[in-house]
Amino acid sequence: MTAFSIESVIDEFETMTKNAGHHQRETLRQILEQNGKTEYLQNLGLGGRTDPESYKACVPLVTHSDLEPYIQRIADGDSSPILTGKPIPAISLSSGTTQGKRKYLPFTEELVQSTMQIYRTSFAFRNREYPIGDGKALQFIYGSKQFKTKGGITATTATTNVYMSEQFKCTMKDIQSQCASPDEVIFGSDYQQSLYCHLLCGLIYSDEVQFIFSTFAHSLVHSFRTFEKVWEEICTDIRVGVLSSRITIPSIREAVSKILVPNPSLADSIYNKCVRLSNWYGVIPALWPNAKYVYGIMTGSMEPYLKKLRHYAGNLPLISADYGSSEGWIGANVNPSLPPELATFVVLPNIGYFEFIPLEKPEMQELETSPTSIHYIEAEPLGLTDVEVGKEYEVVFSNFAGLYRYRLGDVVKVTGFHNCAPELRFICRRSLMLSINIDKNTEKDLQLSVEEAAKLLAEEKIEVVDFTSHVDTSTDPGHYVIFWELSSDSSDEILQSCCNCLDLSFVDAGYVSSRKVSAIGPLELRIVRKGTFNMILDHYVGLGGVLSQFKAPRCVSQSNNKVLQILCMNVTSCYFSTAYEK
Ligand code: AMP
């Protein structure tokens, strides 16, 4: 991409955000004109009107389960206009790691367009601040298995649908983000073999690599944890120019062997750099000296991996990637120099029609509760340009994929405006996680408690590799169970204090009062064997998910019995909180 076109992408974005209100009305009109004859909209009495007021008056707010019967019919091969005027070419599967169940979603050409628009926009802003040269990107990306639905429509993850599109490669070229690995690695059928080869290819082209990417931060951390185990084998492969026998998939072997030639000096240099590192601090800049940054979604449920990622990235900036979902895109990160904890996303006013449900906090609770564990009072949804800075909202959107007034279930905070388009900070998923009676704790509350308790391990240089939670109601009263996988063993004494600290760190008024009167039992900390979370990852991948989209489930319900079983079978010790003992 030339300097001129970067400026023109930015100019276009500036003009569009200045006219955000106009673009919203126009986008809604286009969505409704394109899809006005569909069964879903016809039944709602819009009668061809496309203005926001009529739209809001006629069309109800929905969640995925309201639309599921319609999407199921599309998947079953009914090609009549059900949700969209044009036929739906493919189905996307949400990662399903959040709710434990994979959702079917419509995928359309317009979603490819908006993905490319988001990629170009955030690239333009990123490149203005951190310019990259010509070269490659070490991208830990994976295509997932595809299957045909009953009606013969291809179903796969949204990212795979994007990677398979014609436009993807062109855009990657434009934004200087061509993957160091061949397609056979991206689309390989075994993610462990693909991961190994991504690392290997990234090292073969180490001087050319300009940045490191994966969709979510978890996958970046997972990749370098794997590197710690396989680096010597990779060095050997490069030294002798022969691919390790662990790579058994013929297409991957063939494609990688083409670029692997004996290179003893590169192998020596990698070897020497690795042995000189202290506990792998700064491995990324050491091995990829021309990398300018590490890029991927680092907000929301990815925040717990930031500490480890910073360790691997050393002095390189971490840049949080854009905000979207399998259902559609929402906003681009146009302030790339903000640290991931403060990242915001500017809503693109032409990729959908957006509404925001104000989530008011009841006043008396304001002082007592943490910012995320609140029983919200909902008000009427507001338009994109009517939201207020400092307030929290649930995101609702309507887009060209036939999702109308769709409640995404995410809570965001408006932190400011970029021209007339709001800047959003991701707060959490709205779905409650831990609740036994009047207590309510979200994934953010859990994360904060875990961070607090993990400080007690930091002195011993032990890390919480991953964590999740469960509500155990088989005891009377019920109690919270927190599962931890640790980087190495700790003493009973320290883990007992971690357990008490976890219990005390849930400051939700409902929880504290229930604990005080024993309406909720002592919190239980269960330590699981090393590698347990990789088994959970394998389980999700086995169901058709992809490594790069994996979000560890932060709360495992009783019905998610396979994951619960993996966790319970690997418990090595458990502790009950004594924090509220009188
Ligand atoms: P999926 O449906 O599997 O594509 O997951 C979409 C969900 O991932 C969103 O609804 C968010 O909860 C979360 N997500 C996506 N992008 C971000 C982001 N930049 N920051 C935080 N969470 C995100």
Side-chain angles (χ1 to χ4, degrees):
M1 194 180 252
T2 62
F4 171 75
S5 59
I6 283 175
E7 285 315 314
S8 73
V9 170
I10 292 180
D11 285 349
E12 218 171 272
F13 176 80
E14 297 297 348
T15 310
M16 192 172 56
T17 49
K18 277 180 192 144
N19 298 306
H22 163 76
H23 281 286
Q24 279 290 275
R25 279 188 299 281
E26 195 46 31
T27 305
L28 180 64
R29 187 185 65 74
Q30 286 171 10
I31 293 171
L32 295 179
E33 275 182 2
Q34 193 168 311
N35 302 331
K37 300 253 162 14
T38 57
E39 177 187 321
Y40 182 78
L41 290 177
Q42 288 273 305
N43 287 338
L44 296 171
L46 266 172
R49 285 169 298 170
T50 61
D51 60 290
E53 293 68 33
S54 310
Y55 181 63
K56 288 187 200 176
C58 297
V59 179
L61 291 167
V62 296
T63 61
H64 186 265
S65 55
D66 300 311
L67 295 180
E68 215 168 322
Y70 297 92
I71 302 174
Q72 189 62 52
R73 275 173 51 207
I74 296 167
D76 288 346
D78 183 342
S79 58
S80 64
I82 297 174
L83 287 171
T84 54
K86 288 191 265 177
I88 286 182
I91 294 279
S92 290
L93 291 159
S94 76
S95 59
T97 41
T98 321
Q99 249 90 58
K101 189 173 150 237
R102 307 195 77 196
K103 293 184 287 197
Y104 270 11
L105 297 160
F107 186 84
T108 63
E109 185 47 37
E110 285 83 0
L111 285 182
V112 178
Q113 303 289 355
S114 58
T115 308
M116 298 309 129
Q117 190 191 340
I118 285 262
Y119 283 1
R120 282 173 195 274
T121 306
S122 55
F123 174 77
F125 283 91
R126 211 159 60 240
N127 215 49
R128 196 164 65 171
E129 232 143 308
Y130 305 99
I132 56 173
D134 277 336
K136 295 187 187 293
L138 168 52
Q139 302 205 45
F140 297 99
I141 57 175
Y142 306 84
S144 70
K145 288 189 202 105
Q146 300 167 32
F147 67 90
K148 294 274 184 206
T149 64
K150 211 169 108 193
I153 301 185
T154 307
T156 183
T157 56
T159 42
T160 310
N161 276 324
V162 170
Y163 299 155
M164 290 190 312
S165 70
E166 285 289 310
Q167 283 195 34
F168 178 69
K169 278 234 151 64
C170 303
T171 304
M172 287 296 121
K173 219 176 196 167
D174 283 351
I175 65 173
Q176 298 158 262
S177 308
Q178 282 170 289
C179 187
S181 315
D183 277 359
E184 289 79 357
V185 172
I186 301 172
F187 293 103
S189 55
D190 175 326
Y191 81 85
Q192 277 154 340
Q193 296 192 27
S194 294
L195 167 53
Y196 182 93
C197 291
H198 276 318
L199 289 163
L200 174 64
C201 297
L203 284 167
I204 293 173
Y205 295 113
S206 50
D207 282 343
E208 291 176 50
V209 167
Q210 300 291 312
F211 69 96
I212 321 289
F213 170 81
S214 189
T215 317
F216 285 108
H218 167 271
S219 153
L220 288 165
V221 169
H222 180 81
S223 303
F224 289 99
R225 283 194 196 277
T226 305
F227 183 71
E228 289 185 27
K229 294 187 198 132
V230 299
W231 69 282
E232 283 172 293
E233 205 172 322
I234 290 183
C235 281
T236 308
D237 290 3
I238 294 176
R239 187 179 312 281
V240 296
V242 179
L243 191 56
S244 155
S245 60
R246 71 161 72 217
I247 308 302
T248 55
I249 297 170
S251 58
I252 299 188
R253 278 202 79 85
E254 195 183 325
V256 176
S257 298
K258 274 191 198 141
I259 55 171
L260 181 65
V261 288
N263 190 341
S265 68
L266 177 62
D268 285 343
S269 135
I270 297 169
Y271 189 92
N272 290 332
K273 284 173 181 169
C274 287
V275 290
R276 267 188 238 129
L277 292 171
S278 158
N279 194 24
W280 299 100
Y281 177 82
V283 58
I284 299 177
L287 296 182
W288 289 278
N290 294 315
K292 311 292 187 299
Y293 50 81
V294 177
Y295 185 51
I297 293 176
M298 300 172 188
T299 34
S301 61
M302 294 297 135
E303 261 184 49
Y305 306 107
L306 276 175
K307 198 167 162 224
K308 191 69 182 175
L309 192 54
R310 282 209 167 91
H311 180 85
Y312 288 133
N315 58 358
L316 278 186
L318 300 183
I319 307 183
S320 194
D322 308 313
Y323 174 29
S325 65
S326 308
E327 287 92 327
W329 285 99
I330 296 150
N333 178 2
V334 301
N335 294 307
S337 55
L338 286 177
E341 290 87 346
L342 300 177
T344 58
F345 309 97
V346 176
V347 181
L348 266 62
N350 72 342
I351 55 173
Y353 178 72
F354 294 92
E355 295 173 73
F356 296 85
I357 303 176
L359 301 173
E360 293 285 342
K361 300 164 191 173
E363 270 180 18
M364 37 124 4
Q365 280 201 1
E366 217 153 358
L367 293 174
E368 299 168 29
T369 52
S370 77
T372 52
S373 53
I374 287 151
H375 309 246
Y376 290 112
I377 301 171
E378 292 181 11
E380 282 303 304
L382 300 175
L384 181 73
T385 52
D386 302 322
V387 293
E388 284 178 57
V389 173
K391 298 231 160 129
E392 288 185 8
Y393 300 91
E394 181 184 335
V395 179
V396 174
F397 62 69
S398 309
N399 67 17
F400 290 95
L403 300 173
Y404 308 100
R405 303 198 83 200
Y406 184 87
R407 295 177 74 143
L408 188 59
D410 285 351
V411 179
V412 296
K413 184 178 196 158
V414 176
T415 55
F417 278 89
H418 187 101
N419 296 319
C420 300
E423 279 176 352
L424 310 177
R425 177 161 302 147
F426 182 89
I427 301 293
C428 59
R429 299 228 33 133
R430 186 147 183 212
S431 49
L432 276 180
M433 297 209 335
L434 290 163
S435 177
I436 290 176
N437 46 52
I438 54 165
D439 54 308
K440 287 182 169 53
N441 283 297
T442 65
E443 60 179 330
K444 187 79 187 174
D445 299 314
L446 171 65
Q447 182 198 325
L448 294 174
S449 295
V450 169
E451 273 171 14
E452 202 51 42
K455 286 181 190 159
L456 304 173
L457 295 170
E459 286 158 27
E460 291 191 279
K461 298 211 165 20
I462 297 173
E463 298 159 36
V464 177
V465 173
D466 226 323
F467 62 93
T468 188
S469 64
H470 171 65
V471 166
D472 187 350
T473 46
S474 67
T475 55
D476 188 25
H479 69 286
Y480 289 7
V481 179
I482 312 291
F483 292 92
W484 272 8
E485 179 177 325
L486 300 176
S487 57
S488 48
D489 295 339
S490 184
S491 68
D492 285 343
E493 198 187 342
I494 289 178
L495 291 173
Q496 182 61 54
S497 33
C498 289
C499 179
N500 290 3
C501 180
L502 281 167
D503 204 6
L504 289 170
S505 301
F506 284 105
V507 291
D508 161 53
Y511 185 74
V512 174
S513 57
S514 301
R515 282 289 288 121
K516 282 185 182 155
V517 298
S518 296
I520 294 179
L523 180 143
E524 183 182 355
L525 171 62
R526 295 189 198 163
I527 307 298
V528 294
R529 225 168 256 126
K530 271 202 226 172
T532 303
F533 278 81
N534 279 349
M535 290 164 78
I536 295 174
L537 169 62
D538 285 340
H539 166 69
Y540 279 110
V541 171
L543 294 178
V546 278
L547 169 61
S548 46
Q549 264 190 319
F550 179 71
K551 305 182 203 72
R554 293 290 181 227
C555 182
V556 180
S557 63
Q558 196 64 44
S559 60
N560 199 348
N561 41 29
K562 181 68 198 163
V563 173
L564 201 53
Q565 201 186 348
I566 295 172
L567 287 164
C568 293
M569 274 168 44
N570 285 288
V571 172
T572 52
S573 57
C574 56
Y575 305 86
F576 282 92
S577 163
T578 54
Y580 286 87
E581 275 176 17
K582 289 176 196 109

